[in-house]
Amino acid sequence: MNWLLDLTPDEWNAVRLSIKVATVAMVASLPPGILIALLLARGQFWGKTLLNGLVHMPLILPPVVTGYLLLLTFGKRGPAGAFLAEHFGIVFSFRWTGAALACGVMGFPLMVRAIRLSIEAVDRKMEAAAGTLGASPLWVFGTITLPLILPGLIAGAILSFAKAMGEFGATITFVSNIPNETQTLPSAIYTFTQVPGGDEGALRLTLISIIISMAALVASEVLARRVGRRMDIE
């Protein structure tokens, strides 16, 4: 066990950066994830199928393609990247913020799908009853719909986090593999596999990745069950 925790400063930085990137990606994805899931579950509009396809595109595209598209769009010379850098000083390419963006994009379909399924399972009669009592749609969503979909929201968020912890292809294409800046756990493991004598370091970081991801999934299951039990009691 000691050798598992006997990490070098660069390895610790990779662990901390991975958790930071995954957390930021998850939190930043929640508001648009809820909105898109609501649109796909309840909305009736032209282009709904196209929107659904675009949302799930990162699941079927090679991660390198997604990373390259992000580089073309959010790179310093890309339309969105140049605008954000010039007017707001926000730079994504070859920064940890770009790693968070790439991880958020790759985990977004998993989050949206989990939340969408939860929204579709909500009994619309409860919402309609609240509406007949004069509650606004926003109030109904915040007080009835949101609590009911909380287990799915938690599951989607944790799935997004776990996906971000393991993201490699899109991240390394978009922000490269820069130690202490964009080198997450998968990138650090890849680096170890490319140098002689790096097997021990690669194995150590692999086990740490597994432990963090499994802990997140178990926590998601426990939280979802507790929330579900409370809702059943109420």
Side-chain angles (χ1 to χ4, degrees):
M1 180 61 69
N2 290 334
W3 73 272
L4 180 61
L5 299 177
D6 188 21
L7 303 180
T8 66
D10 286 342
E11 291 171 0
W12 275 117
N13 285 334
V15 173
R16 285 192 292 265
L17 182 62
S18 292
I19 295 174
K20 176 182 178 181
V21 164
T23 302
V24 170
M26 177 188 68
V27 173
S29 297
L30 272 175
I34 295 173
L35 178 61
I36 296 298
L38 189 61
L39 285 174
L40 292 176
R42 301 281 180 82
Q44 297 295 332
F45 55 92
W46 184 89
K48 180 178 178 179
T49 302
L50 179 61
L51 176 61
N52 185 59
L54 289 174
V55 167
H56 290 87
M57 190 70 73
L59 289 180
I60 58 175
L61 284 177
V64 173
V65 174
T66 302
Y68 183 63
L69 291 175
L70 288 173
L71 184 61
L72 292 177
T73 306
F74 292 96
K76 291 184 178 180
R77 297 182 180 180
F83 176 81
L84 292 172
E86 181 179 352
H87 293 86
F88 301 100
I90 300 175
V91 178
F92 288 108
S93 57
F94 307 109
R95 301 283 181 85
W96 76 267
T97 50
L101 175 62
C103 289
V105 169
M106 295 301 294
F108 194 69
L110 299 176
M111 175 183 289
V112 169
R113 182 164 182 79
I115 299 174
R116 177 185 179 179
L117 292 175
S118 293
I119 293 175
E120 291 176 343
V122 172
D123 186 357
R124 301 292 298 274
K125 294 179 181 179
M126 298 178 63
E127 298 173 321
T132 59
L133 296 176
S136 65
L138 185 61
W139 181 263
V140 171
F141 179 80
T143 59
I144 296 179
T145 310
L146 191 59
L148 290 175
I149 67 171
L150 195 55
L153 196 152
I154 293 173
I158 299 301
L159 283 174
S160 173
F161 177 87
K163 174 64 176 177
M165 286 294 299
E167 170 51 36
F168 175 70
T171 302
I172 200 170
T173 304
F174 183 32
V175 297
S176 189
N177 182 14
I178 306 171
N180 302 326
E181 181 63 38
T182 65
Q183 189 178 73
T184 57
L185 277 170
S187 301
I189 293 171
Y190 172 77
T191 300
F192 271 121
T193 62
Q194 302 303 304
V195 297
D199 292 343
E200 183 176 328
L203 178 60
R204 187 162 52 235
L205 293 183
T206 297
L207 293 176
I208 290 175
S209 298
I210 294 173
I211 291 171
I212 294 174
S213 297
M214 283 300 299
L217 292 174
V218 170
S220 167
E221 186 68 19
V222 171
L223 286 173
R225 287 184 179 181
R226 287 185 178 180
V227 171
R229 288 172 184 172
R230 287 183 180 179
M231 291 170 54
D232 291 338
I233 293 175
E234 295 175 356

